[in-house]
Amino acid sequence: MRKKRYGIWQEYSWNDVYDHVSNVFHGLIALGLKTDETVIVIGENDPEMYWSQIATHAASAMTCSVFADALPDPDLVYVAHSTNATFIIAHDQEQVDKALMIKEKVPQIRKVIYWEDKGMWSYDDDWLMSFEEFEAFGATHREKNKGLFEKSIAATEPENTIVLSMTSGTTSLPK
């Protein structure tokens, strides 16, 4: 996996990706993600987006990706309620701001995790967690629960719903 950041290609080996996905999985489990719950992912096609999706699927939970240009209300509120989402994994300050704007309308969202921290240094809200902090939290859980990630993957079933896809909602609310 490769991603250009600040003009420099960052490369991730298979082992790197495995470690990131496992840490994200453990972070979600430690925060209380349950089977059949939904994680909203909103942002660009960065490695963190893919790691989050795969980790969520490994937990027998679902993801719903939301277009980065979605409005906080009604779009994000509608998706959060219609998918019974319990977490939002957000790209950057813009997406975090959207979540903060609707916080009172989505009380079922337990945590908003963001992967790009540019502009986030002055934010002080326990509802928010940086991806770096989240992965470290997951790594600690992983160390205490060896083999859980692999057991969860083995327990998944081909019939499991793992992806919820919605329209962009250009003519009305997403469907």
Side-chain angles (χ1 to χ4, degrees):
M1 181 179 273
R2 293 177 58 180
K3 169 71 180 178
K4 192 179 267 193
R5 296 182 197 266
Y6 307 109
I8 300 169
W9 284 105
Q10 304 297 310
E11 295 188 5
Y12 303 94
S13 70
W14 286 106
N15 288 335
D16 294 335
V17 172
Y18 178 88
D19 285 339
H20 285 290
V21 171
S22 182
N23 289 340
V24 171
F25 165 88
H26 279 279
L28 287 168
I29 296 299
L31 289 173
L33 180 69
K34 303 282 188 268
T35 299
D36 294 329
E37 288 185 338
T38 302
V39 174
I40 290 174
V41 182
I42 182 167
E44 302 300 325
N45 294 334
D46 287 338
E48 293 85 353
M49 180 193 75
Y50 296 107
W51 301 335
S52 299
Q53 289 176 327
I54 297 166
T56 301
H57 303 161
S60 294
M62 298 168 279
T63 57
C64 184
S65 293
V66 176
F67 288 95
D69 62 353
L71 297 172
D73 196 1
D75 299 339
L76 195 52
V77 170
Y78 178 80
V79 172
H81 287 294
S82 64
T83 64
N84 296 313
T86 53
F87 293 93
I88 296 174
I89 299 182
H91 182 171
D92 55 13
Q93 181 184 14
E94 178 183 359
Q95 306 311 328
V96 169
D97 285 345
K98 290 176 188 179
L100 288 169
M101 283 183 228
I102 63 167
K103 183 177 182 179
E104 300 304 317
K105 294 182 178 184
V106 291
Q108 79 279 10
I109 300 292
R110 296 183 204 127
K111 191 70 82 175
V112 176
I113 299 140
Y114 58 91
W115 69 82
E116 185 177 298
D117 61 0
K118 182 179 178 185
M120 297 295 298
W121 54 86
S122 66
Y123 286 58
D124 185 23
D125 189 320
D126 290 339
W127 198 49
L128 307 177
M129 180 182 260
S130 74
F131 208 84
E132 184 177 335
E133 178 185 4
F134 175 59
E135 277 203 85
F137 179 70
T140 299
H141 187 268
R142 179 181 177 185
E143 190 61 35
K144 295 175 184 173
N145 296 276
K146 293 185 186 299
L148 179 62
F149 178 55
E150 294 78 7
K151 286 178 192 170
S152 185
I153 291 169
T156 60
E157 297 290 333
E159 307 83 39
N160 290 4
T161 300
I162 59 169
V163 176
L164 302 174
S165 296
M166 296 190 151
T167 66
S168 62
T170 55
T171 57
S172 65
L173 289 173
K175 296 166 217 42

